[in-house]
Amino acid sequence: LEPLTEEMSKVLISNMLSIRGLQHAIAAQIIERSGGNPFFMEEVVRSFIDEGAVVRHNGEFKVTDKIEKMVIPYTINDVLMARIDRLDENTRDLLKTASVIGRSFFYRILTEVAKAIDDLDSRLSYLKEIELIREQQRMEELEFLFKHALAQEAAYESILQQKRKDLHLQVAKSIEKVFGNRLHEFYGMLSLHYIKGENYEKAEEYLIKAGEEALRTSASSEALNYYQEGLKLYLRADKENINPEKLAMFERNIAIALYNKSRWEEAVQHIDKVFEHYKMPANPNRILLLLKFMKNIVFIFAKPLWFKGTRKPPPTQTEIDYLDLAYKKATALVFIDLERHFFTTLSCFNRSCQIDIARSPEAINIYSGTAGVFSFGGLSFRIPKKLLDISRDAIDQNDVFSLMAFKLHQTVLKYSSGDFSNIRTFEKAIVDDALKKGELWNTTMYLWVFICSKIYVGLFSEAEEFVDKLAQIQNNYDYGLAAVIMSAVKTHLFEQRRKLHEMLSESQRGIVLAVNYNMTIHQQFFYSWKAQSQIFLDDLEGARESLSQARNIFRDWRLGSPYFILPQLTAQLKINIYDLRNAIMTNDKPAIRKQNICAYKSGKKALKKSKRYAANWTEIHYLIGEYYWLIGNQEKALKWWDKAIKKGEELGVRPDLSRTYFEVGRHLLKPDSRYTTLNSITAEEYLQKARGMFMELDLQYDLDELDKVVGSSNLAMAAA
């Protein structure tokens, strides 16, 4: 905040206590010394009251003769110390003891630490009366609070260093005594007092416990701080005898806290440090990984019962820790390096195949995760199905972590293969339980895929309800991934509803979020959606620039899910069709030849990717149909539109299906059309089908476009 102006300072002093008779010169001196700091002014006035220079009489304050002797200090600290020094010795000692406990202090702790001070309750009442402290209720306890942090700091700094240290140790022991039955609520506070009391062994113990407690409640910022401080203390206190196991424990917990903060690169770096401790290669030979993976897959299909765990050893604790961290590493790499993500997943899977997964929830998660990688990457749908079958048979139904991972990757398989009709029930009980236990990644990604499945089939209202769930996760847990995913699904929702300005705005917001959380793949994704919104808004130059940004990001990625790359390929195809149409309209033959080649190539690329990702199949097919119509091959165009309609009806992707009906009807109505029907359905009937679905889905933009086509057609008929 800016300092108060002179005029505002005068008003504050006047309003604060309505002092009658306060000389202008004194008020001016208060304003000058305070530098516009309202807390300074208030404390000066209160110091006048403490000294009897200002007294209350008949319900108002007035100045006494003592005002002439008052000296206004130069700093706020001087004002506060003057007020503290005017207290009697016991009350002053009580305030200083309270300042060691902290800005706020529980009554029961203070009475334990300040046993030697008599008449404690009346002294606290007096400190409240002169407004150095306030009273409140917290955690079902009576608590007091220094009115201002500076007052607590002033009292604290006035205590001799050795006395401070002893008091901190007393406070820590009092907390252990008074709150022994609920000590987990005070781990962080205890670690702080033991640090300041220089008992580093106890401080480290409570820092670790505080971090574990924070991780359990997904308070990742606090957990990260506790573990980082704990590591510093450990390294400082025992430089000569570093225990590798303990060091690995700190690195592991720091990695998990970073992971829960969506700080992916840093999390991976700390996980790799733990792997070094386990003497496990962070980046093993990729050719050997592939060969071993193929061997394991062959065994799975040939001898599935053997892979369900019979005659295999249970996992060791090291293997359990490794697989848990490896799953987190693989899922973190999704956003920063898909190639490393793929090979890390293979490495995890190969190791999981060596143990009895029925006795290892971590190995089950790896099986489920590997299924997700292959289905979402469009690599195979058969392998994921087999892996998920094995996972389902091995899962303990009471283990919410494995259940949540399984539900996510099962939904990914259905979504990627186009089995939208079987993504019906939202697993609310599992999701709520998972969130309570801090399982954020799988839960957020499950919501993402579930919402996308609703968007593609046109259940927009349902999708919006679950977007609110993502908002709750982001707000309740300060979870960056939820913020980025929420922006992604909102952009997608606006695209499907053709709310173009909202789509443009949200895609731009998504770019900023993706940059903030270092989610490179999502930056490309948002730039691609931005380009598509700009195409619809006839900003072709802007679209080309956005698409160029998307390509520059994706150029370094050799692996990529169709989900991420198809928006870019679709935008490119739309731009090429737009340019081809313009070239044909101007009869620019060199441009026609060039744009024909470009449109053909981009259509071929998009088609190839869409074959491995069902959701975009219908849209890509009707765009290719539009390309063939433009170059005069109407027969081939109708064949592509026929494929689009059949696939759209099969998948139930109503928004894309309704637009395909519209495209077919619109083109069949054109004067140069050599056809009047497709599958014995007329142009008018297709337009009527489109209108019905547009109205059902509340697609106003599309209804307006349809009305333009019908209006133009009626005018042409009237003219004829």
Side-chain angles (χ1 to χ4, degrees), residues 547-643:
L547 204 53
S548 174
Q549 296 273 18
R551 279 196 299 268
N552 288 339
I553 293 168
F554 211 80
R555 189 172 287 124
D556 298 330
W557 294 60
R558 284 184 277 179
L559 293 176
S561 164
Y563 177 86
F564 290 118
I565 190 62
L566 271 168
Q568 183 190 135
L569 297 178
T570 304
Q572 185 61 65
L573 178 55
K574 287 177 178 177
I575 285 178
N576 291 145
I577 288 173
Y578 188 99
D579 290 338
L580 177 59
R581 185 184 297 112
N582 283 348
I584 291 169
M585 287 172 66
T586 57
N587 198 28
D588 185 342
K589 291 183 180 177
I592 291 172
R593 282 193 296 272
K594 178 185 175 182
Q595 294 305 328
N596 190 352
I597 293 169
C598 290
Y600 177 79
K601 286 182 177 178
S602 58
K604 191 174 180 181
K605 282 183 184 177
L607 182 64
K608 184 179 178 182
K609 279 289 182 184
S610 70
K611 285 179 179 176
R612 296 188 287 142
Y613 184 72
N616 286 87
W617 213 93
T618 301
E619 181 183 23
I620 298 299
H621 278 61
Y622 84 63
L623 286 172
I624 291 174
E626 186 174 351
Y627 158 73
Y628 278 112
W629 190 279
L630 272 175
I631 63 171
N633 194 336
Q634 295 184 6
E635 182 180 0
K636 205 160 188 177
L638 291 174
K639 285 181 180 177
W640 282 102
W641 284 330
D642 184 43
K643 288 179 183 179

Side-chain angles (χ1 to χ4, degrees), residues 363-537:
I364 295 171
N365 291 351
I366 298 296
Y367 270 64
S368 299
T370 306
V373 168
F374 273 76
S375 52
F376 198 63
L379 302 172
S380 166
F381 296 135
R382 190 176 171 217
I383 290 173
K385 187 176 184 308
K386 178 65 72 174
L387 295 180
L388 287 169
D389 286 344
I390 294 171
S391 300
R392 183 182 56 244
D393 293 345
I395 283 177
D396 176 357
Q397 295 299 311
N398 294 316
D399 179 10
V400 70
F401 297 102
S402 294
L403 273 175
M404 194 69 257
F406 175 79
K407 290 296 180 184
L408 162 63
H409 298 298
Q410 183 187 55
T411 308
V412 167
L413 173 59
K414 292 175 181 178
Y415 174 73
S416 301
S417 61
D419 190 10
F420 298 117
S421 60
N422 282 320
I423 308 176
R424 294 174 184 168
T425 306
F426 178 69
E427 303 288 351
K428 185 178 184 304
I430 296 173
V431 165
D432 290 346
D433 195 16
L435 287 174
K436 285 177 189 174
K437 293 176 179 174
E439 180 50 86
L440 300 179
W441 195 93
N442 287 322
T443 308
T444 300
M445 298 300 279
Y446 169 75
L447 275 161
W448 179 23
V449 181
F450 188 85
I451 293 168
C452 285
S453 71
K454 298 302 176 188
I455 292 171
Y456 271 118
V457 298
L459 296 173
F460 302 135
S461 296
E462 284 189 39
E464 285 170 345
E465 289 176 24
F466 293 108
V467 170
D468 291 340
K469 187 74 174 177
L470 281 172
Q472 289 172 20
I473 295 173
Q474 196 271 324
N475 292 330
N476 293 346
Y477 301 96
D478 188 25
Y479 192 43
L481 177 59
V484 176
I485 295 302
M486 181 168 63
S487 188
V489 295
K490 285 171 77 173
T491 302
H492 189 187
L493 186 58
F494 290 139
E495 186 271 338
Q496 285 288 294
R497 301 190 74 173
R498 295 296 191 263
K499 294 190 173 184
L500 305 177
H501 292 287
E502 292 93 331
M503 179 186 176
L504 178 62
S505 176
E506 192 62 46
S507 61
Q508 186 58 48
R509 178 173 178 272
I511 291 166
V512 173
L513 285 169
V515 170
N516 287 346
Y517 291 103
N518 198 25
M519 293 170 65
T520 312
I521 191 69
H522 277 81
Q523 292 174 42
Q524 179 276 150
F525 174 83
F526 284 116
Y527 273 118
S528 299
W529 281 120
K530 183 180 177 182
Q532 292 208 44
S533 66
Q534 289 167 319
I535 293 167
F536 282 117
L537 293 167

Side-chain angles (χ1 to χ4, degrees), residues 86-323:
R86 277 193 291 271
L87 299 170
D88 70 73
E89 185 180 354
N90 282 340
T91 306
R92 187 167 59 244
D93 287 346
L94 178 64
L95 190 70
K96 289 182 178 183
T97 302
S99 75
V100 173
I101 302 173
R103 169 85 190 274
S104 59
F105 49 95
F106 287 119
Y107 175 74
R108 286 209 284 161
I109 298 298
L110 183 65
T111 55
E112 184 68 28
V113 179
K115 283 180 179 176
I117 299 174
D118 65 347
D119 206 11
L120 187 138
D121 288 346
S122 64
R123 297 184 192 282
L124 287 172
S125 295
Y126 177 68
L127 290 170
K128 280 194 297 176
E129 184 183 328
I130 65 172
E131 297 204 40
L132 276 170
I133 65 171
R134 291 174 178 168
E135 183 181 316
Q136 61 185 20
Q137 285 285 327
R138 188 169 71 91
M139 297 168 68
E140 299 179 355
E141 292 283 338
L142 174 60
E143 184 181 50
F144 294 92
L145 173 78
F146 278 88
K147 186 181 173 188
H148 199 287
L150 291 175
Q152 183 253 334
E153 289 173 17
Y156 182 79
E157 292 298 328
S158 69
I159 307 170
L160 294 174
Q161 197 165 354
Q162 184 58 47
K163 177 69 173 173
R164 258 191 267 172
K165 192 169 88 170
D166 294 341
L167 280 171
H168 277 297
L169 292 175
Q170 275 184 260
V171 169
K173 288 169 185 172
S174 297
I175 293 170
E176 289 172 330
K177 178 181 177 181
V178 173
F179 295 116
N181 62 337
R182 48 191 279 204
L183 211 56
H184 64 280
E185 299 175 32
F186 297 89
Y187 288 151
M189 193 184 295
L190 282 163
S191 64
L192 175 69
H193 287 296
Y194 276 120
I195 287 171
K196 293 191 173 182
E198 296 182 14
N199 185 335
Y200 295 123
E201 188 177 341
K202 291 285 281 185
E204 182 195 321
E205 174 193 337
Y206 280 117
L207 278 168
I208 293 169
K209 289 180 177 179
E212 289 169 351
E213 189 65 25
L215 279 180
R216 270 195 290 274
T217 58
S218 293
S220 304
S221 295
E222 290 85 347
L224 181 60
N225 180 61
Y226 291 136
Y227 286 128
Q228 287 175 331
E229 287 301 314
L231 179 57
K232 284 179 192 173
L233 277 179
Y234 176 64
L235 294 174
R236 185 170 70 193
D238 205 3
K239 287 180 183 176
E240 303 302 321
N241 300 299
I242 299 297
N243 182 334
E245 291 288 334
K246 202 163 196 177
L247 200 58
M249 178 274 294
F250 276 116
E251 292 291 358
R252 176 184 180 275
N253 291 336
I254 288 170
I256 294 171
L258 287 165
Y259 177 83
N260 286 342
K261 286 296 293 175
S262 305
R263 290 165 61 176
W264 313 114
E265 283 200 60
E266 295 168 89
V268 169
Q269 288 166 7
H270 283 275
I271 289 170
D272 284 345
K273 287 180 183 179
V274 181
F275 288 172
E276 284 176 22
H277 164 71
Y278 289 145
K279 293 183 171 52
M280 294 176 177
N283 298 294
N285 184 287
R286 293 180 173 185
I287 294 174
L288 292 177
L289 279 180
L290 280 167
L291 291 172
K292 195 169 182 180
F293 174 78
M294 287 188 284
K295 175 187 171 185
N296 285 327
I297 289 297
V298 168
F299 266 95
I300 280 177
F301 278 90
K303 300 178 180 179
L305 287 176
W306 187 79
F307 262 80
K308 288 182 181 179
T310 55
R311 298 190 301 278
K312 287 190 184 180
T316 64
Q317 187 58 50
T318 298
E319 284 172 324
I320 289 170
D321 291 343
Y322 169 79
L323 291 175

